[in-house]
Amino acid sequence: MRKPLIAPSLLSADFSRLAEEIQNLEQLGVDWFHCDVMDGAFVPNISFGVPIIEAIRQCTTLPLDVHLMIQAPERYIQTFAEAGADILTFHWEATPHPDRLIQQIHSLGKQAGIALNPATPVEVLVDILPEVEVVCVMSVNPGFGGQRFIPYITHKVQRLWELRQRRNARALIEVDGGISPETVLQIPQADVLVVGHNLLRAPDRIKALEALRTAWM
Ligand code: DX5
Ligand code: ZN
């Protein structure tokens, strides 16, 4: 059975012990680190920015998947690339020029991801899908960890999978928000699972990770 990549969301980490948290997750065998950057304008919350990404970069060699929940992300792509991001994911809703942004990310030698808010249909990607490495389907309204998975996302993920086939594209399907051993069952097409609360705040992280990995078997 195919195993999805696990990308823990560091938003739910204990920031006073960030280096230890990263080490602990790495020892558990996670695949990427998902870093949620929020500007207080695109989303109603502020998280962390460039210095924290630089610090995280010092702690790990695993891929850093930087999820930019910021307005006009073109202003900061280069800065986050230099800070150590491997994958730069911006929101389709946050810029009028997604294509230009993808080109900018690639010219910096990084992988490009597009994130879609829950209400944005996957069909907006029909032309651009073959140009990106990752599509991040938000399964909660972005801004906070620990929210409930929105049920209609199941159908969106299925449609994205079909669109990928139809367009002969390779973008990884990443699902972000409210992921648990129960909700993963509804999105068997996902390639990457972003997990915050249900891994980092779990009483037993080893068991929590195992439960996520084996849910589809
Ligand atoms: C939400 C963020 C998510 C979030 C996931 O705005 O993009 O990455 O931290 O956390 P959980 O798994 O707790 O929903
Ligand atoms: Zn995220």
Side-chain angles (χ1 to χ4, degrees):
M1 182 73 187
R2 188 177 66 95
K3 280 191 184 162
L5 298 177
I6 304 286
S9 163
L10 292 174
L11 189 63
S12 296
D14 177 348
F15 290 129
S16 68
R17 305 167 35 249
L18 197 49
E20 275 171 63
E21 289 277 70
I22 291 168
Q23 208 177 11
N24 170 266
L25 290 159
E26 210 172 304
Q27 278 164 5
L28 293 181
V30 301
D31 301 287
W32 294 358
F33 284 107
H34 183 87
C35 308
D36 287 305
V37 175
M38 304 178 183
D39 67 354
F42 181 71
V43 289
N45 195 9
I46 297 175
S47 58
F48 51 76
V50 176
I52 301 293
I53 301 294
E54 286 171 345
I56 295 169
R57 183 71 289 168
Q58 299 302 310
C59 299
T60 182
T61 55
L62 286 182
L64 295 190
D65 171 28
V66 175
H67 179 191
L68 297 174
M69 285 163 272
I70 64 177
Q71 293 286 16
E74 48 278 357
R75 296 172 298 162
Y76 290 105
I77 290 296
Q78 185 161 357
T79 314
F80 280 104
E82 286 167 2
D86 297 290
I87 303 155
L88 280 159
T89 298
F90 63 90
H91 268 261
W92 186 85
E93 302 84 0
T95 173
H97 296 296
D99 183 271
R100 178 178 290 151
L101 210 43
I102 292 163
Q103 291 186 36
Q104 191 189 352
I105 294 168
H106 288 159
S107 73
L108 293 162
K110 307 296 179 182
Q111 298 199 356
I114 296 196
L116 299 179
N117 279 340
T120 305
V122 295
E123 287 73 16
V124 299
L125 301 178
V126 65
D127 293 302
I128 204 109
L129 190 58
E131 309 300 322
V132 293
E133 283 74 37
V134 176
V135 175
C136 177
V137 180
M138 291 307 302
S139 36
V140 297
N141 286 295
F144 303 93
Q147 303 182 80
R148 276 178 52 134
F149 183 92
I150 298 172
Y152 67 71
I153 298 302
T154 305
H155 187 224
K156 260 183 87 170
V157 173
Q158 169 67 27
R159 293 200 327 275
L160 177 58
W161 186 85
E162 288 165 7
L163 187 65
R164 184 172 68 176
Q165 301 278 96
R166 192 149 34 93
R167 297 292 284 116
N168 202 13
R170 291 180 184 188
L172 294 175
I173 298 176
E174 175 178 63
V175 186
D176 184 3
I179 299 295
S180 70
E182 292 74 40
T183 56
V184 292
L185 294 174
Q186 301 169 36
I187 46 165
Q189 304 88 351
D191 303 302
V192 186
L193 301 172
V194 176
V195 198
H197 265 54
N198 289 316
L199 176 59
L200 282 89
R201 304 281 171 96
D204 183 337
R205 287 182 179 175
I206 297 176
K207 275 196 187 143
L209 191 62
E210 192 59 23
L212 284 164
R213 283 223 158 104
T214 56
W216 292 341
M217 292 178 184

